[in-house]
Amino acid sequence: PTVENMSSWLGYRAGLSVDTIVRIELDSPGTSVQLPVLGTALTAADLGQARMLLKGADVMGREMSGEEFICILHPYVEYDLMADNSAGGWIDGKKYTTPDDIINGEIGKTAGCRCLESTNVGTSGTAPNVLYSTYVVGANAIGAVNLSGRGPSKVVDPRKQAFKTNVIMGKPQMADPEGKIGAAVSYRFVFVAKLLDTNVYRFYTIPADASLV
């Protein structure tokens, strides 16, 4: 199903574009929001430190609950975090007592942070000493706005949905008199992300080396 596959892959690229716009905005403050790892690799203590610093600055957690914060991390450093066997360490999302409460894309939680996996994170350094950014984010850290009424489609569950793309089935026309072009697939939206508070940043970035690579 060529057209269906084209639409699916283009929808993925559209979602990645939105994700990258948000990530670049989170990376924009540079070192002013960075916390060095406490040891040689990312552990629950690093997330706990970021969470407590945010709470100490009166930054609330997810959905203004004041408790749980969001953590976005690369699979390479996720490996080190999951290997942390300290007390109160990693809790796999599949073992939640209330699995219905899991966030789309959530893999587990530790140190009061609910962790989501993404390969689209900021990096620094060069191989083999690449540092992968882990983001610990509180409420109202960043805003996302659809401009000109042409924002991207809303995706509730990325495992079952993709960004909406335009599919135009081919037919005879001036540019293609014999209708040889079977279909065209496209997307267009106008979108911007912006940090909401640059006096007290409502997130921290933790650049960490990965023992896996």
Side-chain angles (χ1 to χ4, degrees), residues 43-67:
T43 65
D46 295 301
L47 303 190
Q49 175 184 238
R51 175 174 173 263
M52 289 305 177
L53 287 172
L54 290 170
K55 290 188 70 175
D58 293 325
V59 177
M60 296 184 181
R62 172 179 175 258
E63 297 179 352
M64 306 294 285
S65 67
E67 295 300 325

PDB file of all heavy atoms in Angstrom, residues 43-67:
ATOM      1  N   THR A  43      21.948   8.612  37.312  1.00  0.00           N
ATOM      2  CA  THR A  43      21.294   7.787  38.322  1.00  0.00           C
ATOM      3  C   THR A  43      20.048   8.504  38.832  1.00  0.00           C
ATOM      4  O   THR A  43      19.790   9.666  38.489  1.00  0.00           O
ATOM      5  CB  THR A  43      22.233   7.510  39.514  1.00  0.00           C
ATOM      6  OG1 THR A  43      22.511   8.755  40.186  1.00  0.00           O
ATOM      7  CG2 THR A  43      23.538   6.866  39.061  1.00  0.00           C
ATOM      8  N   ALA A  44      19.306   7.813  39.683  1.00  0.00           N
ATOM      9  CA  ALA A  44      18.114   8.407  40.281  1.00  0.00           C
ATOM     10  C   ALA A  44      18.468   9.650  41.096  1.00  0.00           C
ATOM     11  O   ALA A  44      17.671  10.590  41.188  1.00  0.00           O
ATOM     12  CB  ALA A  44      17.416   7.377  41.165  1.00  0.00           C
ATOM     13  N   ALA A  45      19.665   9.676  41.685  1.00  0.00           N
ATOM     14  CA  ALA A  45      20.076  10.829  42.481  1.00  0.00           C
ATOM     15  C   ALA A  45      20.142  12.098  41.641  1.00  0.00           C
ATOM     16  O   ALA A  45      19.841  13.195  42.125  1.00  0.00           O
ATOM     17  CB  ALA A  45      21.422  10.558  43.138  1.00  0.00           C
ATOM     18  N   ASP A  46      20.529  11.971  40.372  1.00  0.00           N
ATOM     19  CA  ASP A  46      20.587  13.134  39.486  1.00  0.00           C
ATOM     20  C   ASP A  46      19.197  13.703  39.223  1.00  0.00           C
ATOM     21  O   ASP A  46      18.986  14.916  39.267  1.00  0.00           O
ATOM     22  CB  ASP A  46      21.255  12.750  38.169  1.00  0.00           C
ATOM     23  CG  ASP A  46      22.710  12.367  38.337  1.00  0.00           C
ATOM     24  OD1 ASP A  46      23.489  13.198  38.828  1.00  0.00           O
ATOM     25  OD2 ASP A  46      23.061  11.223  37.999  1.00  0.00           O
ATOM     26  N   LEU A  47      18.242  12.812  38.968  1.00  0.00           N
ATOM     27  CA  LEU A  47      16.873  13.274  38.753  1.00  0.00           C
ATOM     28  C   LEU A  47      16.300  13.866  40.040  1.00  0.00           C
ATOM     29  O   LEU A  47      15.595  14.869  40.020  1.00  0.00           O
ATOM     30  CB  LEU A  47      15.991  12.123  38.262  1.00  0.00           C
ATOM     31  CG  LEU A  47      16.423  11.387  36.994  1.00  0.00           C
ATOM     32  CD1 LEU A  47      15.307  10.447  36.528  1.00  0.00           C
ATOM     33  CD2 LEU A  47      16.810  12.341  35.891  1.00  0.00           C
ATOM     34  N   GLY A  48      16.613  13.226  41.167  1.00  0.00           N
ATOM     35  CA  GLY A  48      16.134  13.732  42.448  1.00  0.00           C
ATOM     36  C   GLY A  48      16.683  15.107  42.755  1.00  0.00           C
ATOM     37  O   GLY A  48      15.973  15.967  43.284  1.00  0.00           O
ATOM     38  N   GLN A  49      17.950  15.334  42.424  1.00  0.00           N
ATOM     39  CA  GLN A  49      18.537  16.654  42.656  1.00  0.00           C
ATOM     40  C   GLN A  49      17.823  17.719  41.829  1.00  0.00           C
ATOM     41  O   GLN A  49      17.474  18.787  42.342  1.00  0.00           O
ATOM     42  CB  GLN A  49      20.028  16.638  42.285  1.00  0.00           C
ATOM     43  CG  GLN A  49      20.687  17.996  42.379  1.00  0.00           C
ATOM     44  CD  GLN A  49      22.128  17.991  41.908  1.00  0.00           C
ATOM     45  OE1 GLN A  49      23.031  18.351  42.656  1.00  0.00           O
ATOM     46  NE2 GLN A  49      22.356  17.582  40.668  1.00  0.00           N
ATOM     47  N   ALA A  50      17.600  17.438  40.552  1.00  0.00           N
ATOM     48  CA  ALA A  50      16.916  18.396  39.681  1.00  0.00           C
ATOM     49  C   ALA A  50      15.507  18.674  40.188  1.00  0.00           C
ATOM     50  O   ALA A  50      15.060  19.829  40.223  1.00  0.00           O
ATOM     51  CB  ALA A  50      16.878  17.861  38.253  1.00  0.00           C
ATOM     52  N   ARG A  51      14.820  17.631  40.585  1.00  0.00           N
ATOM     53  CA  ARG A  51      13.441  17.778  41.081  1.00  0.00           C
ATOM     54  C   ARG A  51      13.403  18.653  42.332  1.00  0.00           C
ATOM     55  O   ARG A  51      12.558  19.547  42.448  1.00  0.00           O
ATOM     56  CB  ARG A  51      12.848  16.402  41.371  1.00  0.00           C
ATOM     57  CG  ARG A  51      11.462  16.416  42.000  1.00  0.00           C
ATOM     58  CD  ARG A  51      10.914  14.991  42.099  1.00  0.00           C
ATOM     59  NE  ARG A  51       9.668  14.948  42.831  1.00  0.00           N
ATOM     60  CZ  ARG A  51       9.568  14.656  44.115  1.00  0.00           C
ATOM     61  NH1 ARG A  51      10.670  14.378  44.823  1.00  0.00           N
ATOM     62  NH2 ARG A  51       8.405  14.621  44.727  1.00  0.00           N
ATOM     63  N   MET A  52      14.318  18.424  43.271  1.00  0.00           N
ATOM     64  CA  MET A  52      14.312  19.200  44.508  1.00  0.00           C
ATOM     65  C   MET A  52      14.705  20.651  44.273  1.00  0.00           C
ATOM     66  O   MET A  52      14.176  21.564  44.924  1.00  0.00           O
ATOM     67  CB  MET A  52      15.244  18.555  45.530  1.00  0.00           C
ATOM     68  CG  MET A  52      14.717  17.241  46.088  1.00  0.00           C
ATOM     69  SD  MET A  52      13.057  17.442  46.804  1.00  0.00           S
ATOM     70  CE  MET A  52      12.689  15.753  47.262  1.00  0.00           C
ATOM     71  N   LEU A  53      15.632  20.895  43.349  1.00  0.00           N
ATOM     72  CA  LEU A  53      15.987  22.275  43.023  1.00  0.00           C
ATOM     73  C   LEU A  53      14.802  23.018  42.414  1.00  0.00           C
ATOM     74  O   LEU A  53      14.582  24.201  42.691  1.00  0.00           O
ATOM     75  CB  LEU A  53      17.177  22.292  42.061  1.00  0.00           C
ATOM     76  CG  LEU A  53      18.539  21.923  42.668  1.00  0.00           C
ATOM     77  CD1 LEU A  53      19.591  21.781  41.581  1.00  0.00           C
ATOM     78  CD2 LEU A  53      18.965  22.969  43.701  1.00  0.00           C
ATOM     79  N   LEU A  54      14.035  22.319  41.585  1.00  0.00           N
ATOM     80  CA  LEU A  54      12.845  22.940  41.004  1.00  0.00           C
ATOM     81  C   LEU A  54      11.789  23.212  42.073  1.00  0.00           C
ATOM     82  O   LEU A  54      11.199  24.294  42.124  1.00  0.00           O
ATOM     83  CB  LEU A  54      12.273  22.043  39.901  1.00  0.00           C
ATOM     84  CG  LEU A  54      13.103  21.952  38.618  1.00  0.00           C
ATOM     85  CD1 LEU A  54      12.575  20.855  37.705  1.00  0.00           C
ATOM     86  CD2 LEU A  54      13.127  23.284  37.886  1.00  0.00           C
ATOM     87  N   LYS A  55      11.550  22.231  42.946  1.00  0.00           N
ATOM     88  CA  LYS A  55      10.570  22.428  44.013  1.00  0.00           C
ATOM     89  C   LYS A  55      10.993  23.556  44.939  1.00  0.00           C
ATOM     90  O   LYS A  55      10.159  24.338  45.417  1.00  0.00           O
ATOM     91  CB  LYS A  55      10.385  21.127  44.810  1.00  0.00           C
ATOM     92  CG  LYS A  55       9.664  20.026  44.038  1.00  0.00           C
ATOM     93  CD  LYS A  55       9.338  18.834  44.926  1.00  0.00           C
ATOM     94  CE  LYS A  55       8.258  19.184  45.910  1.00  0.00           C
ATOM     95  NZ  LYS A  55       7.834  18.015  46.709  1.00  0.00           N
ATOM     96  N   GLY A  56      12.307  23.656  45.190  1.00  0.00           N
ATOM     97  CA  GLY A  56      12.808  24.723  46.042  1.00  0.00           C
ATOM     98  C   GLY A  56      12.617  26.104  45.443  1.00  0.00           C
ATOM     99  O   GLY A  56      12.603  27.110  46.158  1.00  0.00           O
ATOM    100  N   ALA A  57      12.466  26.153  44.107  1.00  0.00           N
ATOM    101  CA  ALA A  57      12.203  27.422  43.425  1.00  0.00           C
ATOM    102  C   ALA A  57      10.720  27.615  43.168  1.00  0.00           C
ATOM    103  O   ALA A  57      10.327  28.453  42.340  1.00  0.00           O
ATOM    104  CB  ALA A  57      12.978  27.462  42.108  1.00  0.00           C
ATOM    105  N   ASP A  58       9.886  26.840  43.879  1.00  0.00           N
ATOM    106  CA  ASP A  58       8.409  26.922  43.782  1.00  0.00           C
ATOM    107  C   ASP A  58       7.886  26.541  42.403  1.00  0.00           C
ATOM    108  O   ASP A  58       6.854  27.035  41.949  1.00  0.00           O
ATOM    109  CB  ASP A  58       7.907  28.322  44.149  1.00  0.00           C
ATOM    110  CG  ASP A  58       8.142  28.657  45.610  1.00  0.00           C
ATOM    111  OD1 ASP A  58       8.039  27.735  46.450  1.00  0.00           O
ATOM    112  OD2 ASP A  58       8.457  29.818  45.920  1.00  0.00           O
ATOM    113  N   VAL A  59       8.608  25.651  41.716  1.00  0.00           N
ATOM    114  CA  VAL A  59       8.123  25.105  40.450  1.00  0.00           C
ATOM    115  C   VAL A  59       7.326  23.848  40.760  1.00  0.00           C
ATOM    116  O   VAL A  59       7.807  22.954  41.452  1.00  0.00           O
ATOM    117  CB  VAL A  59       9.290  24.770  39.500  1.00  0.00           C
ATOM    118  CG1 VAL A  59       8.767  24.123  38.219  1.00  0.00           C
ATOM    119  CG2 VAL A  59      10.079  26.034  39.178  1.00  0.00           C
ATOM    120  N   MET A  60       6.111  23.794  40.254  1.00  0.00           N
ATOM    121  CA  MET A  60       5.250  22.644  40.505  1.00  0.00           C
ATOM    122  C   MET A  60       5.509  21.535  39.488  1.00  0.00           C
ATOM    123  O   MET A  60       6.118  21.753  38.446  1.00  0.00           O
ATOM    124  CB  MET A  60       3.783  23.063  40.463  1.00  0.00           C
ATOM    125  CG  MET A  60       3.397  24.035  41.550  1.00  0.00           C
ATOM    126  SD  MET A  60       1.629  24.417  41.521  1.00  0.00           S
ATOM    127  CE  MET A  60       1.521  25.577  42.891  1.00  0.00           C
ATOM    128  N   GLY A  61       5.005  20.354  39.825  1.00  0.00           N
ATOM    129  CA  GLY A  61       5.185  19.203  38.959  1.00  0.00           C
ATOM    130  C   GLY A  61       4.138  19.110  37.881  1.00  0.00           C
ATOM    131  O   GLY A  61       3.400  20.063  37.604  1.00  0.00           O
ATOM    132  N   ARG A  62       4.053  17.937  37.282  1.00  0.00           N
ATOM    133  CA  ARG A  62       3.121  17.690  36.184  1.00  0.00           C
ATOM    134  C   ARG A  62       1.705  18.033  36.570  1.00  0.00           C
ATOM    135  O   ARG A  62       1.229  17.690  37.639  1.00  0.00           O
ATOM    136  CB  ARG A  62       3.231  16.215  35.772  1.00  0.00           C
ATOM    137  CG  ARG A  62       2.187  15.752  34.769  1.00  0.00           C
ATOM    138  CD  ARG A  62       2.401  14.293  34.430  1.00  0.00           C
ATOM    139  NE  ARG A  62       1.345  13.796  33.567  1.00  0.00           N
ATOM    140  CZ  ARG A  62       0.329  13.039  33.988  1.00  0.00           C
ATOM    141  NH1 ARG A  62       0.255  12.699  35.264  1.00  0.00           N
ATOM    142  NH2 ARG A  62      -0.578  12.611  33.141  1.00  0.00           N
ATOM    143  N   GLU A  63       1.030  18.731  35.649  1.00  0.00           N
ATOM    144  CA  GLU A  63      -0.372  19.105  35.832  1.00  0.00           C
ATOM    145  C   GLU A  63      -0.593  19.827  37.153  1.00  0.00           C
ATOM    146  O   GLU A  63      -1.619  19.675  37.805  1.00  0.00           O
ATOM    147  CB  GLU A  63      -1.277  17.868  35.743  1.00  0.00           C
ATOM    148  CG  GLU A  63      -1.231  17.202  34.374  1.00  0.00           C
ATOM    149  CD  GLU A  63      -2.110  15.979  34.293  1.00  0.00           C
ATOM    150  OE1 GLU A  63      -2.636  15.546  35.344  1.00  0.00           O
ATOM    151  OE2 GLU A  63      -2.279  15.436  33.188  1.00  0.00           O
ATOM    152  N   MET A  64       0.408  20.635  37.564  1.00  0.00           N
ATOM    153  CA  MET A  64       0.312  21.464  38.768  1.00  0.00           C
ATOM    154  C   MET A  64       0.103  20.649  40.027  1.00  0.00           C
ATOM    155  O   MET A  64      -0.380  21.146  41.041  1.00  0.00           O
ATOM    156  CB  MET A  64      -0.838  22.483  38.619  1.00  0.00           C
ATOM    157  CG  MET A  64      -0.759  23.338  37.355  1.00  0.00           C
ATOM    158  SD  MET A  64       0.659  24.456  37.352  1.00  0.00           S
ATOM    159  CE  MET A  64       0.090  25.691  38.514  1.00  0.00           C
ATOM    160  N   SER A  65       0.461  19.374  39.994  1.00  0.00           N
ATOM    161  CA  SER A  65       0.250  18.524  41.167  1.00  0.00           C
ATOM    162  C   SER A  65       1.251  18.821  42.264  1.00  0.00           C
ATOM    163  O   SER A  65       1.000  18.536  43.436  1.00  0.00           O
ATOM    164  CB  SER A  65       0.379  17.045  40.772  1.00  0.00           C
ATOM    165  OG  SER A  65       1.721  16.749  40.392  1.00  0.00           O
ATOM    166  N   GLY A  66       2.402  19.372  41.883  1.00  0.00           N
ATOM    167  CA  GLY A  66       3.427  19.674  42.860  1.00  0.00           C
ATOM    168  C   GLY A  66       4.263  18.481  43.252  1.00  0.00           C
ATOM    169  O   GLY A  66       5.185  18.606  44.043  1.00  0.00           O
ATOM    170  N   GLU A  67       3.978  17.307  42.708  1.00  0.00           N
ATOM    171  CA  GLU A  67       4.688  16.096  43.111  1.00  0.00           C
ATOM    172  C   GLU A  67       5.561  15.538  41.979  1.00  0.00           C
ATOM    173  O   GLU A  67       6.767  15.680  41.995  1.00  0.00           O
ATOM    174  CB  GLU A  67       3.683  15.041  43.584  1.00  0.00           C
ATOM    175  CG  GLU A  67       2.924  15.457  44.844  1.00  0.00           C
ATOM    176  CD  GLU A  67       3.844  15.725  46.032  1.00  0.00           C
ATOM    177  OE1 GLU A  67       4.864  15.037  46.160  1.00  0.00           O
ATOM    178  OE2 GLU A  67       3.529  16.616  46.823  1.00  0.00           O
TER     179      GLU A  67
END
